[in-house]
């Protein structure tokens, strides 16, 4: 019933960069944009037990069309899939090629900047709706390019007027790909002890 971002969040909460943080927001920037919210270590669920879909936070009203039917979702701008799609229009092979070229080519840098800006905008929404003590940034892109994204995310904390400027952290995921496995195992063990 849990998705991969939920499992990763539980893994980071129990064994990684999310320890002792509540509320905890886990954001995964990779092929897609995923996320989860934990409160006191428990996965937050909405109506009918549904999971929040952080990748569909709106970040650019006239942005690219998203598969959810809206335009400018976080995922449609900052995911590896979105970066690759924008890059292919300019002749880049994939998202990795866009990141490499961004250090020397303005067109590639603009694609990456758009992804960073979308992440900053989504962070503003996360800060004001969830008031997380800590945001853990993971996923292949989030971890490999942590400094670029985290700097923009932290800037939102300093600009915010309706949330505390201290006590909120942006940290890099510590468990990498194993966070999801650890979290899923922990959830399975907890579930079996309840039965």
């Amino acid at each position: 019933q849990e998705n991969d971002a939920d499992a990763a969040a539980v893994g980071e909460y129990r064994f990684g960069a999310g320890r002792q943080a509540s509320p905890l927001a886990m954001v995964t920037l990779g092929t897609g944009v995923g996320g989860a919210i934990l409160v006191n270590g428990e996965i937050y669920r909405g109506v009918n037990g549904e999971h929040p879909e952080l990748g569909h936070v709106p970040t650019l009203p006239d942005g690219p069309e998203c598969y959810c039917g809206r335009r400018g979702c976080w995922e449609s701008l900052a995911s590896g899939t979105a970066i690759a799609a924008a890059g292919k229009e300019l002749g880049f092979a994939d998202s990795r090629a866009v990141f490499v070229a961004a250090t020397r080519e303005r067109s590639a840098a603009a694609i990456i900047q758009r992804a960073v800006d979308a992440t900053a905008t989504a962070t503003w929404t996360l800060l004001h709706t969830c008031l997380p003590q800590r945001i853990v940034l993971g996923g292949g892109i989030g971890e490999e390019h942590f400094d670029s994204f985290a700097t923009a995310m932290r800037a939102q904390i300093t600009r915010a007027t309706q949330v505390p400027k201290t006590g909120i952290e942006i940290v890099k995921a510590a468990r990498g790909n194993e966070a999801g496995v650890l979290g899923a195992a922990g959830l399975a063990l907890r579930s079996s002890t309840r039965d």
Side-chain angles (χ1 to χ4, degrees), residues 55 135 141:
I135 299 175
I141 289 173

Side-chain angles (χ1 to χ4, degrees), residues 113-160:
Q113 189 59 53
R114 191 170 73 160
V116 169
D117 291 346
T119 300
T121 299
T123 299
W124 181 271
T125 300
L126 270 179
L127 291 172
H128 289 82
T129 56
C130 302
L131 290 166
Q133 179 183 356
R134 191 173 302 152
I135 299 175
V136 176
L137 181 59
I141 289 173
E143 291 175 38
E144 188 172 345
H145 303 282
F146 176 78
D147 290 339
S148 297
F149 285 92
T151 298
M153 295 168 78
R154 289 181 181 128
Q156 299 305 306
I157 298 171
T158 64
R159 292 185 185 116

Side-chain angles (χ1 to χ4, degrees), residues 99-118:
F99 275 103
V100 170
T103 60
R104 62 182 186 278
E105 293 188 38
R106 187 175 296 174
S107 60
I111 294 170
I112 302 307
Q113 189 59 53
R114 191 170 73 160
V116 169
D117 291 346

